[in-house]
Structure formats: structure tokens, C-alpha cells
Amino acid sequence: MNPNFETYRLADEHDALREAVRALAEKEIAPHAADVDEQERYPQEALDALVKAGFAAVHVPEAYGGEGADSIATCIVIEEVARVCASSSLIPAVNKLGTMPIILSGSEDLKKKVLGDLAAGNATASYALSEREAGSDAGSMKTRAHRDGDNWVLNGSKCWITNGGVSSWYTVMAVTDPDKGANGISAFVVHKDDPGFVVGPKEKKLGIKGSPTVELYFEDCTIPGDRIIGEPGTGFKTALRTLDHTRPTIGAQAIGIAQGALDAAIDYVKERKQFGKSISDFQGVQFMLADMAMKIEAARHMVYISAARAERGEGNLGFISAAAKCFASDVAMEVTTDAVQLFGGAGYTRDFPVERMMRDAKITQIYEGTNQIQRMVMARALLKG
């Protein structure tokens, strides 16, 4: 055997991308992060900077005017933005989530229309699956869609829509055949200007306050017939395939938040002095830092492996994508909590970023499937063999 150990490393292009995104994030996004959180306002500065640099929707294939970034590259972009501002990292993350069903199952015309819009920097996208009574049990959704001549008409509501009210395009799951259960769900693309589309009030949230989360209402919302994604009844399958591709991006966001907290903690403990010396000299502090870094590194590799497998188009992505999202988000919650502890009383104030990072980390354990659901997905995959 003559193993090529060079194959188990990121490409030089990935390293260069990380440097570029980190530089942009430090200069254009980080200075606004605290204000975005405090004012609960959309990070327009981040959107402008990401669009200008071509990082707002890097996943869009070159055929539609995009950067054509692979899945690992997309995770790196999200990770590096999340390192300074979790709310801003949802711009590239949700652009991928909102358009992945179109990439997987949409018509060529739909891809050109929506993906081209994102690639040009003219629009962002969101994803509408959950309802008040259909969260983890998404198959029990009540939103309906029916044919009306050449059009589709949607009625119902969706909740927890990330970047809702800001996005122009929405991938929406709705029931087209109530008698078929999950096989009666179809996927549609709705535009913010479509008649009958209404944006509800913003949620008042613990974290990611710069990213609006809203309800959407469909009141005889009428869309052209060619805005269905794939064939009728294939929407739920498309939704599940989408999550296999996008759960690693939530893992990437979690890693970024954790890395930002660790970096801040390292800087702080070097400067903070107690008992006549830097608290970084105390073994208890050193062990905490070591554990934080070790867990982040393990999570990062799991996320990149899951992204690489998705990029290769491998089957049976359920286990690894769920594992990456679950492990990374649990790590983010642990690491940010420890970072607040290392800052002591200062960490509990809004003068330092770690309390924001701790609040932001919590959502990564909840959205795109709670970590309890991720463990169910993993267990089913294991039991199937």
C-alpha cells in the first residue's frame, strides 16, 4: 500500500476562501454585530458586504451565475461569518436552505429564475416547512394547495420562518392530496409579491435577534402553475433530502459561534489577572480551554465529512448529517457556556460578546430538527443497518 495522506486535508482553495471570508467578516460584519443584536435589526451591512464579495449565496451553481462553491466551501463561509455574528451567517445558510429543494428537484426554468436572482444579488430565499402544530411532526401540516386553471392556490400558515419578510423567494410545503399523508405533500416557490401572500409579526427571540423570524399567511395565495417543485406529492421527500444537505450548514454555524467564543475567551484569560498573575496560568482554566478546543476540532471534522459526502452525492446521508448537526450544536452550547464562565461576571454583561454567543448557540440545538429528532434519525439509520 502507498497511502496518499495528502487526500485527507482541505484543498488550498478552501484555506484561501477561509482567509478571505474571515477578513471580510472582521472588517465589515463584526463591528455591527453587537448593535444588530441590541437593536434586533436585520444585518444589512452584512448582506451588502456578502453580496459584493459573492459570498451571500456561494452554493449557486455557475450555470445560473453563481460561484458554484462546493458543500465544504459553503460551510466555511457560514462558519467564518458565524464566528463574529450568528445572525449574519443565516444569510448564506438560509439562502442554501431555501433553494436546495429547487436545486434537487426544480425545473430548469425555476432554477434560472430563482437561482439567477440570488446569484445576481437581487434577492434572498427562505424555507417554509414548519407550522404551529406541525414542527417535528412536519407531515401533519395543514397548509393546502389546489389547482385553479393554470395556477396553484395556497391557503394556510407557516411559522418560524428565518429571514421571513426580508426574503423575496420562499420554498413552501403544502398538502395537495390529503388522503395520501406525507405522499400528498408538494413543494412550491412563492414570491413576496404574489397575491395573497402575507408576512406576520416578528417573534421575540432569545438569540439570533438580527435575523427576523416570522409567520407567513397564505390567503388564497395564487402562483403560476410552473412554480411547483418537481411532481405533485414529492414535496416531503424533497424536504427530507434538503435537510440531509443543509444540516451540515447548521453544524458549521454552530462551530463558528463556538470558535468565536473560544477566541474571545483565550484573549480574555491572557489579559485578566488574579492572585498576582494571568488567569491563563491556572491549570483549571487551561483544562477548560483544552476541552473547548478539542470538541470544536472534532465537530469541525464531522461537519466537513458530512458536507463532503453530500457533495459526492452519496446515499444514506441521514446518519452523518444528523450527527454533524447534533454534535456540533451540543458543542457550541457547551463551549459558549464555558466561555461565559471564563469571563466571570464580565461574561454575564453585554459589554463582551460571549453572552450573545451563548444565546445564539441555543437555537442550533433546535432548528432544522431538534437534537432529539437528530438522535431519532441516527438511531433509525443504525437499526436499518
Side-chain angles (χ1 to χ4, degrees):
M1 291 178 66
N2 183 23
N4 179 7
F5 293 108
E6 282 295 302
T7 58
Y8 192 70
R9 63 184 293 274
L10 292 183
D12 291 342
E13 293 82 1
H14 289 129
D15 293 334
L17 174 67
R18 184 186 301 281
E19 288 183 20
V21 180
R22 180 168 293 196
L24 177 139
E26 292 280 4
K27 182 182 179 183
E28 306 285 350
I29 299 175
H32 307 285
D35 184 65
V36 162
D37 177 71
E38 188 76 23
Q39 303 300 324
E40 302 192 19
R41 66 173 182 83
Y42 185 73
Q44 187 64 44
E45 298 92 347
L47 177 64
D48 294 343
L50 290 167
V51 166
K52 185 177 179 181
F55 296 147
V58 290
H59 71 288
V60 173
E62 291 178 356
Y64 308 103
E67 300 294 323
D70 62 50
S71 297
I72 292 178
T74 303
C75 283
I76 289 171
V77 171
I78 294 164
E79 177 187 343
E80 287 300 323
V81 176
R83 181 175 161 270
V84 301
C85 180
S87 293
S88 298
S89 73
L90 285 164
I91 295 169
V94 180
N95 271 340
K96 179 166 182 173
L97 175 63
T99 56
M100 201 67 214
I102 300 169
I103 292 172
L104 290 172
S105 305
S107 67
E108 195 62 26
D109 285 345
L110 209 47
K111 289 176 182 177
K112 288 177 181 175
K113 186 191 297 278
V114 180
L115 299 178
D117 218 6
L118 264 67
N122 298 327
T124 57
S126 289
Y127 185 75
L129 173 65
S130 296
E131 299 178 5
R132 290 287 175 191
E133 302 303 322
S136 295
D137 180 18
S140 66
M141 69 180 65
K142 297 289 189 288
T143 298
R144 297 285 191 263
H146 68 270
R147 277 277 194 186
D148 183 17
D150 293 334
N151 299 322
W152 287 96
V153 179
L154 282 69
N155 280 284
S157 63
K158 295 290 179 179
C159 67
W160 315 122
I161 309 306
T162 306
N163 289 348
V166 173
S167 291
S168 299
W169 295 102
Y170 298 82
T171 293
V172 181
M173 302 294 162
V175 176
T176 48
D177 190 338
D179 297 329
K180 291 186 177 179
N183 290 324
I185 294 172
S186 303
F188 301 90
V189 179
V190 175
H191 190 270
K192 65 182 180 65
D193 294 333
D194 288 330
F197 174 76
V198 179
V199 177
K202 284 171 59 175
E203 302 289 349
K204 298 175 182 176
K205 305 195 301 287
L206 173 73
I208 57 166
K209 293 182 178 182
S211 172
T213 303
V214 304
E215 272 195 272
L216 302 178
Y217 307 115
F218 305 92
E219 301 170 355
D220 287 332
C221 179
T222 304
I223 63 173
D226 61 2
R227 294 254 209 91
I228 189 169
I229 300 174
E231 295 297 315
T234 62
F236 199 66
K237 290 186 179 70
T238 297
L240 295 180
R241 286 178 63 207
T242 292
L243 295 175
D244 283 345
H245 285 267
T246 59
R247 279 176 175 154
T249 67
I250 301 304
Q253 182 190 42
I255 294 165
I257 296 169
Q259 187 67 58
L262 175 60
D263 293 347
I266 290 171
D267 288 342
Y268 183 80
V269 299
K270 285 179 178 178
E271 295 294 325
R272 173 72 168 164
K273 288 182 170 53
Q274 290 287 276
F275 306 100
K277 58 182 176 179
S278 166
I279 65 171
S280 63
D281 290 336
F282 295 113
Q283 191 179 65
V285 169
Q286 293 175 356
F287 280 13
M288 285 179 73
L289 293 172
D291 283 344
M292 292 158 77
M294 175 174 62
K295 291 170 184 175
I296 291 170
E297 194 64 18
R300 180 176 284 118
H301 283 282
M302 189 180 288
V303 167
Y304 291 174
I305 287 169
S306 65
R309 288 182 56 181
E311 185 66 26
R312 289 194 294 267
E314 293 185 13
N316 302 316
L317 292 172
F319 177 87
I320 191 64
S321 64
K325 187 268 187 191
C326 184
F327 185 73
S329 57
D330 282 351
V331 164
M333 201 66 237
E334 287 181 49
V335 167
T336 54
T337 302
D338 283 348
V340 170
Q341 190 72 20
L342 286 168
F343 271 73
Y348 206 68
T349 71
R350 294 203 295 271
D351 296 329
F352 295 91
V354 288
E355 64 84 29
R356 181 184 81 239
M357 293 168 173
M358 181 179 171
R359 287 185 286 107
D360 289 343
K362 185 61 201 172
I363 191 61
T364 65
Q365 294 181 304
I366 298 172
Y367 59 13
E368 287 209 33
T370 65
N371 283 3
Q372 287 70 31
I373 289 292
Q374 306 306 325
R375 288 174 168 87
M376 287 172 60
V377 171
M378 286 185 272
R380 286 171 182 167
L382 291 171
L383 293 170
K384 281 183 180 176

